[in-house]
Amino acid sequence: MALLQKERYTIEDIYALPEGRRAELIDGRIFDMAPPNTRHQILVGKLTQKIANYIDAKDGGCKVIPAPFAVFLNQDDRNYVEPDVSVICDKNKLDEKGCQGAPDWIIEVVSPSSQQMDYGIKLFKYRTAGVREYWIVNPQTHTVNVFDFEKEKRSGQFRFDEEISVCIYDDFSLNFATLLSQ
């Protein structure tokens, strides 16, 4: 059943979507999400595993959670996203529904249909919501855009074969060429 066109949608509208339809809600606007391809999912899985292993080895208190996972960015009824990978260090933000507020680190893996969202709308939204670090991973161009919103020292664009330092952790870096060869 199609939703009636409204000026503004809420999280209730997201939960009322037909089974199998994935969408995000940003400032009351619904944005449909295309199903991810196999390469995308393998990359998300490897990233989640590598980050979780690092956190576990450091006895860290952060949680890494892959999509689909609900993030209520502004703790309101007009913003709901499902980042590919979310790292949340404040356990008080986690409940049975998802993350209430901004995760510390978000990674989005770009697909051809999500470029405008990931490089534009979400970049602005994540920064203003209080995300500390945002990575945009582009498998087509083999690049990673890093946005260090907290310290603004390590932002830049990197190639998959470079060691990319994680901003929220001083002793952690990722090399996507190595990650994908494992």
Side-chain angles (χ1 to χ4, degrees):
M1 180 171 139
L3 289 176
L4 296 175
Q5 291 288 48
K6 297 198 297 192
E7 184 127 344
R8 291 283 177 212
Y9 293 93
T10 67
I11 289 171
E12 281 185 29
D13 296 309
I14 290 289
Y15 284 116
L17 291 174
E19 184 73 29
R21 181 176 170 197
R22 292 185 60 218
E24 295 178 306
L25 180 70
I26 298 178
D27 295 328
R29 289 182 56 209
I30 288 184
F31 295 89
D32 286 311
M33 298 169 63
N37 64 29
T38 302
R39 182 178 186 190
H40 178 279
Q41 290 303 92
I42 289 170
L43 187 51
V44 167
K46 287 185 176 278
L47 281 166
T48 301
Q49 180 181 17
K50 189 78 165 181
I51 296 165
N53 289 345
Y54 169 82
I55 292 169
D56 290 346
K58 296 292 183 175
D59 293 324
C62 300
K63 300 290 182 198
V64 57
I65 305 172
F69 177 67
V71 173
F72 304 92
L73 274 179
N74 297 72
Q75 297 178 302
D76 60 20
D77 69 343
R78 299 180 329 115
N79 289 282
Y80 167 98
V81 293
E82 292 185 8
D84 290 317
V85 179
S86 298
V87 177
I88 301 106
C89 298
D90 180 352
K91 290 180 183 168
N92 293 322
K93 290 183 177 180
L94 294 172
D95 64 20
E96 288 304 309
K97 289 188 174 189
C99 179
Q100 303 295 327
D104 293 87
W105 180 19
I106 288 178
I107 301 173
E108 294 283 10
V109 178
V110 174
S111 61
S113 65
S114 72
Q115 289 192 35
Q116 181 181 5
M117 284 291 292
D118 295 335
Y119 286 105
I121 295 168
K122 285 185 178 179
L123 173 63
F124 173 77
K125 195 66 184 172
Y126 290 161
R127 180 181 190 115
T128 58
V131 172
R132 294 167 55 199
E133 181 170 359
Y134 176 40
W135 286 23
I136 304 171
V137 178
N138 191 325
Q140 288 78 31
T141 62
H142 293 89
T143 57
V144 179
N145 288 72
V146 174
F147 298 93
D148 176 5
F149 297 142
E150 183 177 47
K151 300 174 193 143
E152 302 207 12
K153 292 183 180 177
R154 298 185 191 171
S155 296
Q157 185 178 64
F158 303 89
R159 295 183 322 270
F160 271 23
D161 63 354
E162 293 181 89
E163 284 296 319
I164 306 170
S165 296
V166 176
C167 305
I168 66 169
Y169 299 117
D170 291 330
D171 61 345
F172 184 38
S173 64
L174 291 168
N175 180 305
F176 283 78
T178 304
L179 183 72
L180 292 170
S181 69
Q182 297 173 342

